[in-house]
Amino acid sequence: MSLFVMGFLLVILQPSAGQFPRACANSQSLLRKECCPPWDGDGSPCGELSSRGSCQNILLSQAPLGPQFPFSGVDDREDWPSVFYNRTCKCEGNFMGFNCGECKFGFSGLNCTERRLRTRRNIFQLTTSEKDKFLAYLNLAKNSPSQDYVIATGTYAQMNNGSNPMFRNINVYDLFVWMHYYASRDTLLGGSNVWRDIDFAHEAPGFLPWHRVFLLMWEREIQKITGDENFTIPYWDWRDAEDCVVCTNEYMGGRHPTNPNLLSPASFFSSWQVICTRSEEYNSQQALCNATSEGPILRNPGNNDKSRTPRLPSSAEVEFCLSLTQYESGPMDKMANYSFRNTLEGFADPRTAISNISQSGLHNALHIYMNGSMSQVQGSANDPIFVLHHAFVDSIFERWLRRHRPMLEVYPAANAPIGHNRENYMVPFIPLYRNGEFFKPSRELGYDYEYLQEPALDSFQEFLIPYLEQARQIWAWLVGAAVIGGVVTAVLTGLILACRKKRRGASSEIQPLLIESEDYNNISYQSNF
């Protein structure tokens, strides 16, 4: 892409969405524990004068949690976002956003009444210009300051309970890297103590809904900073791949000619700096990642530990995973057996669905295979391959939802690891999203996958689904009605036949015989019933 086009893209900055709203990152908001910024359209908090929303108390889930996190009141992410705010905007209808200034996913228009469906495509099906545009958009996000959001550089206690705000600016791409880090970081317990067995985005039921929201928000930010409302994240279908076919300078960056751990200088991704990769350093300092640059992207695909991940996932493994009927099971963490979520995430064997944390399958396999920045959970989103990978993982989740059509109740309401119950708000998103809100087909959220589209069949199925669902709910009444109807019909038929027989017996004495008896028995009659 020409330098002129890149320069043009870098100046058309639009508001961004992410974690701490800039309008609420001040001592007044923190001390009041209220984040209800005004909507620019009418100047009222949450656009209340325009009936877009209102400032309300946050209703937190009271459902019990699993035993994985034995503490309470030690982590800012507990009962998100109540440590920072207990009043936020509650938007009405199809409005959404930290100030109700946007539309829900899948809606558009001035009043958010227009349905919109976008299609995510295979990166290798993009034209050269489409592919170059996608790469330019990535680079634009890396160089565009977030207008609406900032990141926290200290805990609430380090902020002196809100009286000393600790926030800083960040670019749009790194905002999402930081959010992924913040959701998966260890709990700081004071001194040099940390608790590692905690993750608000992985190793539990919320893994798939959390990353679904993450991608939707990331996709929307690209749409906003570029003005390209039709933009969608492409995906990389890595099934049966023999190597990293996107690891070329034409796509996501090739291998450095002299240092196999670095990217080729011919790719502009080689100049990118990573953030939030030094978890042990943060833990020892009892500090949060402050988004300081920490060096270039590292990637050495295929030179990973073969005993853990011998190859990239196969089509057969994906199909087996899709055949699993249980979304979640047992302890609902990385030890869960026969769990679709745990098998797709990669902690269970993709051939047996039995937990085996010494191996990395499916989703995890790709991260380990990349052998670099992608392979460390907290900083994995630094590598732009992350979004291609997770878009395909989300498509597998979508295939499972369409195949098994689970009710919302299938998603665990209680006893999941901290932050993963159905009604828990996802860390660290503001506006607030519950896990269960994204346990539904992607088309209800405004997007689809090119390789999953079957227009005629889908339209017919969508037409039938509401009626089939209603029939399923009243099937017992239908069966009962059929039985009663059959009994009534049989009784009426018997009465009518008896009456006819009696009438024939009475008339035979005065009527002439019109046909012979053997011909009479051969006459057929049609019932009026």
Side-chain angles (χ1 to χ4, degrees):
M1 180 158 291
S2 70
L3 292 175
F4 170 79
V5 174
M6 286 297 297
F8 173 75
L9 289 174
L10 285 169
V11 299
I12 53 172
L13 302 180
Q14 299 289 331
S16 168
Q19 210 255 332
F20 287 95
R22 186 183 299 276
C24 301
N26 53 71
S27 58
Q28 181 180 8
S29 296
L30 291 171
L31 292 173
R32 294 175 58 190
K33 286 184 171 291
E34 182 175 292
C35 183
C36 295
W39 174 54
D40 291 341
D42 63 13
S44 67
C46 312
E48 185 169 9
L49 292 178
S50 300
S51 300
R52 297 177 78 93
S54 58
C55 190
Q56 296 189 16
N57 293 333
I58 296 171
L59 299 178
L60 297 173
S61 171
Q62 301 301 313
L65 301 172
Q68 293 85 354
F69 187 70
F71 306 97
S72 179
V74 299
D75 194 309
D76 291 346
R77 300 167 296 177
E78 296 177 52
D79 287 327
W80 180 261
S82 62
V83 169
F84 295 96
Y85 312 107
N86 54 33
R87 284 173 62 81
T88 60
C89 288
K90 179 177 174 56
C91 304
E92 302 295 335
N94 296 326
F95 297 115
M96 190 182 77
F98 65 85
N99 63 355
C100 301
E102 299 182 4
C103 298
K104 283 184 177 179
F105 300 116
F107 290 90
S108 61
L110 290 177
N111 295 311
C112 301
T113 55
E114 302 170 17
R115 277 255 181 210
R116 184 155 193 174
L117 185 68
R118 298 178 177 89
T119 301
R120 292 178 180 172
R121 300 168 57 198
N122 189 318
I123 191 168
F124 292 114
Q125 298 300 318
L126 302 181
T127 65
T128 300
S129 62
E130 289 172 334
K131 180 262 298 178
D132 289 344
K133 183 168 65 175
F134 167 63
L135 299 180
Y137 285 178
L138 285 171
N139 212 36
L140 174 64
K142 188 73 170 179
N143 291 279
S144 299
S146 173
Q147 300 298 298
D148 282 356
Y149 280 83
V150 293
I151 62 167
T153 58
T155 65
Y156 192 67
Q158 291 167 349
M159 295 184 195
N160 196 21
N161 297 329
S163 62
N164 180 35
M166 298 173 65
F167 299 97
R168 67 167 291 180
N169 296 324
I170 194 167
N171 68 62
V172 173
Y173 189 94
D174 286 350
L175 172 66
F176 286 86
V177 177
W178 188 90
M179 287 195 291
H180 192 265
Y181 147 79
Y182 190 81
S184 56
R185 70 174 178 85
D186 300 331
T187 293
L188 306 177
L189 296 175
S192 59
N193 299 315
V194 297
W195 184 263
R196 300 180 189 276
D197 190 14
I198 185 171
D199 195 315
F200 290 83
H202 305 85
E203 303 179 16
F207 166 68
L208 293 167
W210 191 96
H211 285 84
R212 173 163 281 196
V213 174
F214 181 89
L215 292 179
L216 281 166
M217 293 178 66
W218 193 91
E219 199 168 57
R220 175 165 288 189
E221 293 324 299
I222 298 298
Q223 293 164 1
K224 290 161 63 177
I225 65 173
T226 62
D228 184 356
E229 294 186 357
N230 296 315
F231 170 77
T232 54
I233 298 171
Y235 58 86
W236 171 29
D237 183 349
W238 35 248
R239 291 173 297 180
D240 304 315
E242 295 184 1
D243 53 30
C244 181
V245 290
V246 296
C247 296
T248 66
N249 290 330
E250 182 183 1
Y251 287 93
M252 311 309 291
R255 198 185 300 269
H256 193 283
T258 59
N259 187 338
N261 294 315
L262 299 178
L263 302 184
S264 166
S267 168
F268 58 66
F269 293 124
S270 65
S271 66
W272 279 25
Q273 291 285 301
V274 302
I275 64 170
C276 302
T277 61
R278 300 173 180 172
S279 58
E280 293 307 316
E281 179 181 316
Y282 314 143
N283 289 346
S284 65
Q285 297 174 358
Q286 294 287 293
L288 299 184
C289 164
N290 62 9
T292 300
S293 297
E294 296 173 349
I297 294 174
L298 301 178
R299 189 197 300 157
N300 190 350
N303 290 324
N304 57 289
D305 181 358
K306 295 297 193 298
S307 66
R308 171 175 286 276
T309 304
R311 54 173 172 72
L312 289 171
S314 69
S315 296
E317 290 170 339
V318 171
E319 291 304 314
F320 173 78
C321 182
L322 287 167
S323 73
L324 299 171
T325 58
Q326 295 184 85
Y327 178 75
E328 198 54 89
S329 67
M332 296 183 276
D333 57 18
K334 60 187 176 184
M335 301 306 294
N337 295 324
Y338 307 111
S339 156
F340 165 75
R341 186 276 313 161
N342 202 37
T343 305
L344 177 55
E345 189 169 359
F347 293 108
D349 192 308
R351 296 162 297 178
T352 65
I354 301 297
S355 173
N356 183 358
I357 58 176
S358 68
Q359 301 289 305
S360 294
L362 296 180
H363 156 265
N364 287 350
L366 202 289
H367 280 278
I368 299 299
Y369 180 87
M370 287 300 158
N371 194 31
S373 300
M374 275 271 282
S375 306
Q376 191 252 0
V377 175
Q378 296 177 16
S380 58
N382 278 293
D383 191 326
I385 290 178
F386 179 96
V387 293
L388 304 180
H389 170 44
H390 272 275
F392 190 64
V393 171
D394 183 75
S395 78
I396 298 173
F397 176 36
E398 181 61 23
R399 289 180 65 188
W400 187 86
L401 289 172
R402 295 186 190 185
R403 177 180 297 189
H404 299 281
R405 300 189 181 278
M407 303 292 286
L408 176 59
E409 289 72 22
V410 168
Y411 188 98
N415 301 312
I418 184 171
H420 288 265
N421 282 341
R422 186 194 308 155
E423 297 301 315
N424 287 150
Y425 291 115
M426 299 184 192
V427 175
F429 303 132
I430 298 176
L432 304 178
Y433 305 111
R434 297 185 190 273
N435 290 306
E437 293 173 5
F438 293 84
F439 190 72
K440 60 184 176 183
S442 67
R443 284 174 290 198
E444 295 183 27
L445 299 168
Y447 72 100
D448 200 353
Y449 288 94
E450 187 175 43
Y451 82 107
L452 300 184
Q453 289 181 325
E454 297 178 24
L457 178 60
D458 286 349
S459 298
F460 182 65
Q461 287 178 335
E462 288 178 355
F463 172 78
L464 284 180
I465 286 170
Y467 301 100
L468 293 174
E469 179 61 23
Q470 291 178 19
R472 185 191 67 79
Q473 294 173 357
I474 63 172
W475 70 271
W477 294 99
L478 293 175
V479 172
V483 171
I484 294 172
V487 172
V488 171
T489 300
V491 172
L492 290 175
T493 301
L495 291 174
I496 291 171
L497 291 176
C499 291
R500 286 182 176 177
K501 182 176 180 181
K502 183 177 180 180
R503 189 163 55 247
R504 284 196 305 271
S507 60
S508 63
E509 297 177 357
I510 57 175
Q511 294 288 340
L513 186 61
L514 299 179
I515 55 176
E516 296 296 329
S517 60
E518 59 270 19
D519 294 328
Y520 182 88
N521 291 331
N522 289 330
I523 294 178
S524 63
Y525 294 86
Q526 290 187 343
S527 170
N528 290 324
F529 294 103

